[in-house]
Amino acid sequence: MMSHAPLLLRIFRKCLWILIVLWGITVISFLVIHLAPGSPTDMDVTLNPLAGEAARARLEALYGLDRSLFEQYMSWLDRLLHLDFGNSMSADARPVMTKILERLPLTVSMNVISLLLTLLIAIPCGILSACRQNTWPDHIITLLVFLGFAMPSFWLALLLMGFFGIDLHLLPLSGLTSMGYETFTPWEKFLDLARHLTLPILVYTIGSLAGMSRYMRSCMLDVLGQDYMLTARAKGLSGYTVIMRHGLRNALLPVITLLGLSVPGLIGGSVIIESIFALPGLGNLFYSAVMARDYTMIMGNLVLGSVLTLFGNILADICYGLADPRIRLRADAKTG
Amino acid sequence: MSGNSSSFWQRFCFVASKYGKLCLGLGIVLIMTLASLGAPFLTTCPPEELHLDHILEAPSENFLLGTDRLGRDVFSRLLYGGRVSLWVGFVAVGISVSIGTVLGLVSGYFRGIIDELIMRFVDVMLCFPSFFLILAVIAFWEPDLTNIMLVIGLTSWMGVTRLVRAETLSLRERDFVASARLCGTPTRSILWRHILPNALGPVLISATLGVAGAILIESSLSFLGLGVQPPVASWGNMLMEGKNVLETAPWLSLYPGLAILCTVLGYNVLGESLRDLFDPRQKDRLF
């Protein structure tokens, strides 16, 4: 019983913190979007010569834009509490949640695949770089890391499109599927999707590779200087065992946090990559919502993106705690 | 004598390993800055001048880096576009560093409820997919230069706040701050004259890295058509125009991207080497 009380208290405080942050996110997004000049009705009214002020007023009443900002916020928040993001303000007027859920799988799966690829390449690079610090493999990896950091993703995408798509005619330039996709067999469908997604996933991966391998390197360097590594060597363990068993496990811990922190960047990056490759994902949805001033859709995307970020961070915290007993003990000592 | 030359080489290697990165970063940054500031002297024609009889011409003696679909000189547009990028980078970072420094100082020095409030606000801002927010704001307000700089600055101050707060938290316990307080120095002056100068190193380093980040964001925005608007040249919108003629005129996509790469690389290398030299605790920690 003794040990449960502080744990419960900690969970309670964490939940309270999450609620406050979520509330802050809704307030800021709402204010930023609704205080901006112009309105979602502009496009319908100014582009249509038959629509006058009366039509604009009717549209604004339909969207609830004629009420005060506070009333609008409260009714939006009320719906949000029922997990209802409202209907899109574009012509199809479908629920925001449905439209987002249609787009989410593509963006999430591209990000997950590229994240796995990134870890697969970055961890060995980081280890190599750290264990052979200041030798030529380390220098080459460091050089590539700096290039990777400075490389604008859209330029990389253009270069890859130019090389693989135009010069070699190897991969399709854009879109998700080829003509006649519906008539393909399942295997052909899979191949077709894979061919279309190769370049976007490559761009995603190269984009996050630099940060991850550099981070891995610095974590590994920290670990290499620890006393327990010396102890392990002194016990007579081989260099390989020391690094893999004693070093890597400890060095991987901070990487968990970095994964949690990289969520907003990945969500933001999807706008650019999906618009270059004309992929129907979340980023593209957001871009067109912004262009059409679809308030409910933009709010839905912002809130959803922030929630994903928040949960990424919390998940990272939890995993870190699970993986590292020292964190648990320290936290217990603090609250207990 | 061989002994003499080997000691010279040793000294050279020592200096090179210590300051080589700094010189490289500083060199790239200086070249980029001078080239864009000296654009009128380095180019033969203004960036907006049309040469309709030289449309989409490959790089040649007349047009060093070729021409675009309106026959404008790519070299000239590249240099003038650099002015936009650097200007956006500097002003945006100026804004974010000012906000971050003030909030961090206040937060770290007074602690208590103010600290709690500011830090929770930082948490909230860090949770936003900031590129989404920037995109929405820029699209709603006019996408002009002032708004771009403001928005980038207003969405990137959180890192500096945390940095300055951490520095302030440790500095405020030091003896020289205690003695300043004993002498009756007003709080404002303790913050500005005693704490801030000691916390300035890490701030400058993060500002250098921030310039690189701001340039990348500006070019991404311009690439999406929401940044600097044509006919004013910026590296991002040059790439956007190049995208449509990737097949026939690849040089339009090549050089602006290379310019972004070099500039961002320069600022990153400079920031990293400054960190290695002045903040050894943070050594080998990129960003």
Side-chain angles (χ1 to χ4, degrees), chain A residues 303-315:
Chain A
V303 171
L304 193 82
S306 321
V307 170
L308 283 180
T309 309
L310 206 54
F311 277 93
N313 289 346
I314 294 167
L315 208 65

Side-chain angles (χ1 to χ4, degrees), chain A residues 204 261-270 309, chain B residues 128-131:
Chain A
Y204 267 122
L261 286 176
S262 62
V263 176
L266 293 177
I267 297 175
S270 67
T309 309
Chain B
F128 272 112
S130 61
F131 195 70

Side-chain angles (χ1 to χ4, degrees), chain A residues 29-38 69 295, chain B residues 140-141:
Chain A
S29 346
F30 200 86
L31 284 180
V32 161
I33 286 166
H34 284 256
L35 287 179
L69 205 61
Y295 280 4
Chain B
F140 285 7
W141 272 274

Side-chain angles (χ1 to χ4, degrees), chain B residues 59-140:
Chain B
S60 64
E61 268 171 43
N62 279 342
F63 302 103
L64 217 55
L65 300 179
T67 60
D68 66 4
R69 69 193 162 85
L70 293 173
R72 294 173 296 195
D73 183 16
V74 173
F75 181 62
S76 166
R77 288 179 74 69
L78 206 64
L79 293 191
Y80 280 93
R83 292 179 165 194
V84 173
S85 292
L86 294 177
W87 182 232
V88 169
F90 276 109
V91 177
V93 165
I95 295 171
S96 75
V97 165
S98 315
I99 299 175
T101 307
V102 171
L103 287 183
L105 276 177
V106 168
S107 193
Y109 191 76
F110 295 108
R111 298 202 289 193
I113 186 82
I114 304 178
D115 181 27
E116 192 68 18
L117 278 177
I118 293 177
M119 282 300 116
R120 287 300 82 81
F121 188 48
V122 167
D123 285 340
V124 171
M125 289 302 290
L126 280 175
C127 271
F128 272 112
S130 61
F131 195 70
F132 269 27
L133 196 66
I134 293 174
L135 208 64
V137 174
I138 290 292
F140 285 7

